[in-house]
Every structure is written in C-alpha cells, then in structure tokens.
Amino acid sequence: MFGSRLTQAGLCSLVCTTILMCSGCGDGKVVVRGMITVDGQPIDEGSISLEPADAQGPTTGGMIKAGKYELAGNAAVVPGKKIVRIVGLRQTGKMIPAGPPAPKGTLIPEMIQCVPIHYNDHSQLQVDVTPGKANKHDFQLDSKALPPKAISQY
C-alpha cells in the first residue's frame, strides 16, 4: 500500500511537471519565415531584420539563402508591428580574386548588393507579426521602385 501511494504521487508529480512545461511561461515569440525576391528572382544571400516599429523590445534577424529565411529558436520574433530591413546579394556571373587569406589565384563569385537602400537602411517596409502561431511573410521587392516620399509636417 505504501509503495503504491509513492508510485501514484510520483506519477502525479510527473504529469503536473509535464503540463507546466508544455503550457508554462513561454516567451511568446513566434517563428517567422518566408521568401524574398528582387525583380522576381530569389536573393542569393543576405540578411533580414525585424525591429519593433515603436522602438520598444528586441530586434531580431537571420540569414537569407536562396531567397528563403526563417527566424526561429533564439531568432524567433516577439509579436507586434515590425520594421523590416533586407540586405541582399546576388552573383554577377563573374569570378574575382578572393584576396587574403585565400591562396593566390583563388577565385570566388562576385557578389553585388541587389536590394535598394529604401528596403534596408531607410526601410519603411512593415509587417504585423501575429501571436500564437508561425507567421509567413514573403517580400517581392522591385529594384526600380522609387522610395516612398517623406511626409513633411511643417
């Protein structure tokens, strides 16, 4: 009888701990993923960052590879309205010297920035990251689009 009470108490403790761990005090962050293209072509390599539009809270980001990105784990995103900044590189088709510390004569693909400044340093791109589920946000950028006009309040 004593052994069975001990087993029941242990089992009850294990169940309660499991429930608390699964439903517990999560950080509220969600996974954000998507595809980024410029002029219809996926970005070869780059980075994306999401920062709070109200400047309150953490900024997070990650790498773009073959047009795809995923912000998960430590890079998961706190829900809310975010300013999106995208830096993208595209291969030109030329091979150029790698430079030090690579051995002399080593060639690498030439990469150029393919995302206009109004999508990165001066970005006005925004998304709303919703709580409780993974979010998918794709960005179809136009390299020839003019930046949004600044609104003067004089």
Side-chain angles (χ1 to χ4, degrees), residues 31-38 41-49 61-72 86-90 135-139:
V31 172
V32 177
R33 66 176 60 94
M35 183 75 171
I36 304 172
T37 59
V38 176
Q41 298 298 312
I43 292 175
D44 291 336
E45 296 178 18
S47 63
I48 182 170
S49 67
M63 301 305 296
I64 302 165
K65 189 74 174 165
K68 296 179 183 176
Y69 73 94
E70 180 173 280
L71 305 176
I86 300 170
V87 174
L89 301 174
R90 182 170 285 150
N135 284 230
K136 186 172 192 301
H137 293 287
D138 296 333
F139 300 95

Side-chain angles (χ1 to χ4, degrees), residues 3-108:
S4 116
R5 281 189 187 162
L6 207 50
T7 305
Q8 288 175 347
L11 183 59
C12 182
S13 175
L14 179 63
V15 169
C16 289
T17 302
T18 302
I19 290 170
L20 286 173
M21 286 175 63
C22 291
S23 65
C25 329
D27 60 8
K29 294 180 179 180
V30 295
V31 172
V32 177
R33 66 176 60 94
M35 183 75 171
I36 304 172
T37 59
V38 176
D39 301 331
Q41 298 298 312
I43 292 175
D44 291 336
E45 296 178 18
S47 63
I48 182 170
S49 67
L50 277 66
E51 59 189 62
D54 64 1
Q56 302 297 311
T59 295
T60 190
M63 301 305 296
I64 302 165
K65 189 74 174 165
K68 296 179 183 176
Y69 73 94
E70 180 173 280
L71 305 176
N74 288 337
V77 183
V78 174
K81 189 171 279 297
K82 306 294 178 189
I83 296 171
V84 181
R85 299 188 192 282
I86 300 170
V87 174
L89 301 174
R90 182 170 285 150
Q91 294 185 18
T92 66
K94 296 179 187 176
M95 298 298 285
I96 60 172
K104 189 174 183 171
T106 302
L107 297 176
I108 60 171

